[in-house]
Amino acid sequence: MAADLQGKRVAILAADGVERVELEQPREALDKAGARTEVLSVDEGEIQARDNDLDPAGTFGVDGLVAEASVADYDALVLPGGTVNPDKLRVDEDAVAFVRDFVESGKPVAAICHGPWTLIEAGVATGRTLTSFPSIRTDLRNAGANVVDQEVVVDKNLITSRSPEDLPAFSVAIVSQLAGTTTKEEEKS
């Protein structure tokens, strides 16, 4: 990824139960490209990570509270998955409002695996082409999304992927979208 994202700030919105690799790998790609990433959450301190939803996988420090965050302070938003993490986010009014405002701003928003649950709650999935983990595709369809089974889907400012296996393509799409370049995956969508 040869993008230069110096001066770009990216919010990663996550809560307890976040799938470790789905936070780590996009964050690493963004950091390597020069962006500054910050973990936002609903509570201060640390969030508990998981591997495969079940196994404890350490913690991530929280850089700020979503209730105090402003969309204007960030250039992109990443929504990692895990089943517990987005389930906690979608019942938090501040998290849902932040996601809604971010999508409406036109800035890149990337969601992987179960991360699109928060897009549904924010009311921003209607009419959009998205992908996700298979178990929430019916939820996306019921919310009015056009659901496809692809490694990565870019629909305007929304970037979605299915699972940890898609992380390399997902990370490339986030970096390229933020840099204003196009990836091969985006050309197909």
Side-chain angles (χ1 to χ4, degrees):
M1 283 178 247
D4 180 9
L5 301 181
Q6 293 296 324
K8 302 283 188 181
R9 273 177 86 186
V10 179
I12 301 172
L13 181 56
D16 286 334
V18 65
E19 188 69 23
R20 173 172 279 285
V21 295
E22 293 177 4
L23 191 152
E24 276 181 337
Q25 287 187 27
R27 183 181 211 181
E28 182 179 296
L30 286 159
D31 289 344
K32 281 185 179 176
R36 188 170 110 208
T37 56
E38 296 177 13
V39 174
L40 300 179
S41 193
V42 295
D43 296 307
E44 296 177 324
E46 295 182 331
I47 54 174
Q48 301 291 316
R50 294 279 184 248
D51 283 334
N52 302 311
D53 271 332
L54 302 173
D55 301 320
T59 60
F60 290 102
V62 172
D63 299 308
L65 295 175
V66 69
E68 299 170 359
S70 170
V71 171
D73 293 335
Y74 297 96
D75 299 291
L77 173 63
V78 176
L79 300 169
T83 57
V84 174
N85 164 54
D87 202 45
K88 288 180 181 269
L89 295 176
R90 67 185 179 155
V91 296
D92 184 275
E93 290 179 20
D94 294 315
V96 172
F98 187 73
V99 170
R100 181 183 309 108
D101 292 348
F102 224 103
V103 172
E104 290 174 355
S105 77
K107 297 176 184 179
V109 176
I112 189 168
C113 198
H114 289 75
W117 260 344
T118 313
L119 299 175
I120 293 169
E121 194 65 34
V124 296
T126 305
R128 303 302 289 268
T129 299
L130 306 170
T131 195
S132 69
F133 195 75
S135 65
I136 71 163
R137 290 182 186 159
T138 298
D139 298 341
L140 285 167
R141 281 186 201 95
N142 289 341
N146 173 36
V147 181
V148 296
D149 183 11
Q150 292 175 220
E151 182 178 53
V152 65
V153 175
V154 178
D155 181 342
K156 299 179 184 129
N157 64 321
L158 288 182
I159 305 158
T160 53
S161 282
R162 302 170 298 196
S163 69
E165 289 77 29
D166 299 334
L167 279 165
F170 182 66
S171 297
V172 167
I174 296 166
V175 170
S176 67
Q177 189 82 350
L178 190 52
T181 59
T182 304
T183 67
K184 288 180 184 172
E185 291 83 6
E186 291 170 8
E187 291 169 359
K188 293 177 193 172
S189 58

